[in-house]
Amino acid sequence: MGRHSCCYKQKLRKGLWSPEEDEKLLRHITKYGHGCWSSVPKQAGLQRCGKSCRLRWINYLRPDLKRGTFSQEEENLIVELHAVLGNRWSQIAAQLPGRTDNEIKNIWNSCLKKKLRQRGIDPVTHKPLSEVENGEDNNKSQHTNSLDMLSGASSELKLNTDNLKPGTTLYEQRPTSSITAPAPGYQLEMEGCSSSNNLMTSTTRKDLFLDRFASTATTTNSQPCDFMPHFPVQQLSYASTNPRLSPWFSQSEFSSISMSKLLPPLTTSPFLSSPIGFNPSVTLPSHTPSMPSFTVNNSYTWGMADCSTSEKEEAPIHLMETQPDEMKWPEYLNNPLLMAAALQNQAPQSSLYNIEIKSETHCSTNTKSLSNSMWPQNQQPQQQQEGLQNSDMCAKDIQRLTTAYGHI
DNA sequence: AAAGCTTCCAACCGCCTGAAG
DNA sequence: CCTTCAGGCGGTTGGAAGCTT
């Protein structure tokens, strides 16, 4: 195993790709698509194995790659997602359009881990280093903190989800260390912040969770909260117990979702075993519930996702006011909240989901082009790259060219 | 200027999974 | 079932580039 049989064949090149090889591969895939990767090298006239071609395409040649340096928002998002998903780089990458898992893994290992440690956070557990060093006892206290949060007297669950993107698989995760759902009547509140300085003082519970990852969901009644029963305790609570993390969660704008009822674990969904990327033309089966119709073509308009959204467009979107079969499969699968709503609709006893999405003003640029990672054939809409980003991009491209041509 | 050290990242390696025969 | 193959993922590494002394 490991190296594929093709790789054992002689004459296969290894190491850095030359510009000529890049051109061959790019031309071939642009013209014919990749099809079976193992046949690509032969068809493209490359002395590489298919795996190497695939990697080169995914990590470098793909036209929808963003390149450029990571924005603060992207770094924040990576940290947040890592707290929930761990080293599942591909799933993290799915939340950052135009970024590859390799790229994210690299920036995590080279940069973000260091930054977290500097802030006194253990990058593995996302707990304060002092707690990690102290071992078991602190695990206990951490658990207590988390339970405190989960069983707080306040009765709202607020999740910020303005960065909820297509391909999100958050609810599919089954971390080994799981929390149990709060008892009926208990409510979570994990409210995001809009300012790095007042993060821990501006919210009623001062608990923070994925401020740009999930919409703000509010439970308003005593329905059982089995919405996210599988998040590791320490991961849910790390930000809340670590004010030092606040700089990571600054400048978040978020939208809010309020749900009259929390949702069952999505693993009950028959959808979830499906891969993320599939044919966008596949329509929902007839039994699928009515779903919101705020997705248009392959471009995600997740309520707030359009960064140019004006104040007028901030009117709540009532998910129930939709037509059957308007949604396509990818739209379900790329959006856990929609999925959740669908599932909830499927449940016999849950007839009404008063899901409300309130769009707030501007969102960061990295929320754009949400479909890119999912539908690479789509040309990325004109990225509204700011001047700085453009210069970053140019600098990196120049650097890459230098690297590529320098050793010829 | 040169040597040594550090950082970064592209690419490889090894493993896993699922499909096909 | 078993084997083979291909795709995919996460961990690791080699070397170029940058920095320090």
Side-chain angles (χ1 to χ4, degrees), chain A residues 159 161 215-217 254-258 304 356-360:
Chain A
L159 300 173
T161 62
S215 295
T216 298
F254 56 89
S255 303
S256 65
I257 273 188
S258 56
M304 70 299 282
E356 181 180 15
I357 301 173
K358 294 174 184 170
S359 178
E360 296 204 353

Side-chain angles (χ1 to χ4, degrees), chain A residues 166-216:
Chain A
T168 299
T169 54
L170 177 64
Y171 305 132
E172 294 178 61
Q173 303 312 311
R174 285 288 181 263
T176 52
S177 156
S178 300
I179 61 174
T180 53
Y186 283 142
Q187 291 161 336
L188 302 173
E189 177 171 319
M190 294 172 282
E191 185 170 301
C193 65
S194 57
S195 157
S196 61
N197 292 331
N198 61 8
L199 168 65
M200 292 305 164
T201 58
S202 63
T203 61
T204 53
R205 277 278 302 170
K206 306 178 180 60
D207 290 325
L208 174 63
F209 176 70
L210 302 177
D211 67 335
R212 59 186 55 68
F213 185 77
S215 295
T216 298

Side-chain angles (χ1 to χ4, degrees), chain A residues 219-390:
Chain A
T219 68
T220 55
N221 59 23
S222 59
Q223 294 291 341
C225 184
D226 53 0
F227 181 46
M228 299 185 298
H230 297 286
F231 286 125
V233 167
Q234 68 273 20
Q235 291 176 351
L236 276 171
S237 66
Y238 81 97
S240 70
T241 55
N242 295 298
R244 282 166 293 187
L245 267 183
S246 59
W248 287 96
F249 306 99
S250 62
Q251 307 301 318
S252 74
E253 324 83 10
F254 56 89
S255 303
S256 65
I257 273 188
S258 56
M259 299 182 182
S260 63
K261 184 172 181 177
L262 290 174
L263 305 165
L266 289 185
T267 46
T268 60
S269 168
F271 306 149
L272 289 182
S273 58
S274 303
I276 302 266
F278 23 87
N279 186 343
S281 67
V282 175
T283 53
L284 288 170
S286 57
H287 66 273
T288 47
S290 303
M291 290 302 293
S293 58
F294 51 81
T295 51
V296 178
N297 299 326
N298 287 335
S299 300
Y300 233 80
T301 54
W302 174 229
M304 70 299 282
D306 180 353
C307 295
S308 61
T309 299
S310 67
E311 301 260 334
K312 290 174 192 172
E313 295 168 299
E314 293 178 10
I317 299 168
H318 297 280
L319 303 191
M320 293 304 296
E321 298 169 2
T322 55
Q323 298 301 316
D325 297 337
E326 285 186 6
M327 289 271 298
K328 308 297 183 192
W329 274 97
E331 295 161 357
Y332 277 93
L333 289 161
N334 293 338
N335 193 324
L337 284 173
L338 296 181
M339 178 77 76
L343 291 167
Q344 196 68 5
N345 272 347
Q346 278 187 309
Q349 74 274 26
S350 49
S351 57
L352 178 64
Y353 300 91
N354 184 20
I355 299 176
E356 181 180 15
I357 301 173
K358 294 174 184 170
S359 178
E360 296 204 353
T361 53
H362 43 265
C363 53
S364 57
T365 54
N366 68 330
T367 61
K368 295 165 187 171
S369 305
L370 296 176
S371 65
N372 294 335
S373 64
M374 303 307 303
W375 313 114
Q377 73 274 23
N378 288 351
Q379 286 306 309
Q380 192 162 341
Q382 284 297 328
Q383 288 274 343
Q384 296 90 338
Q385 303 279 353
E386 316 258 355
L388 185 59
Q389 279 180 292
N390 280 329

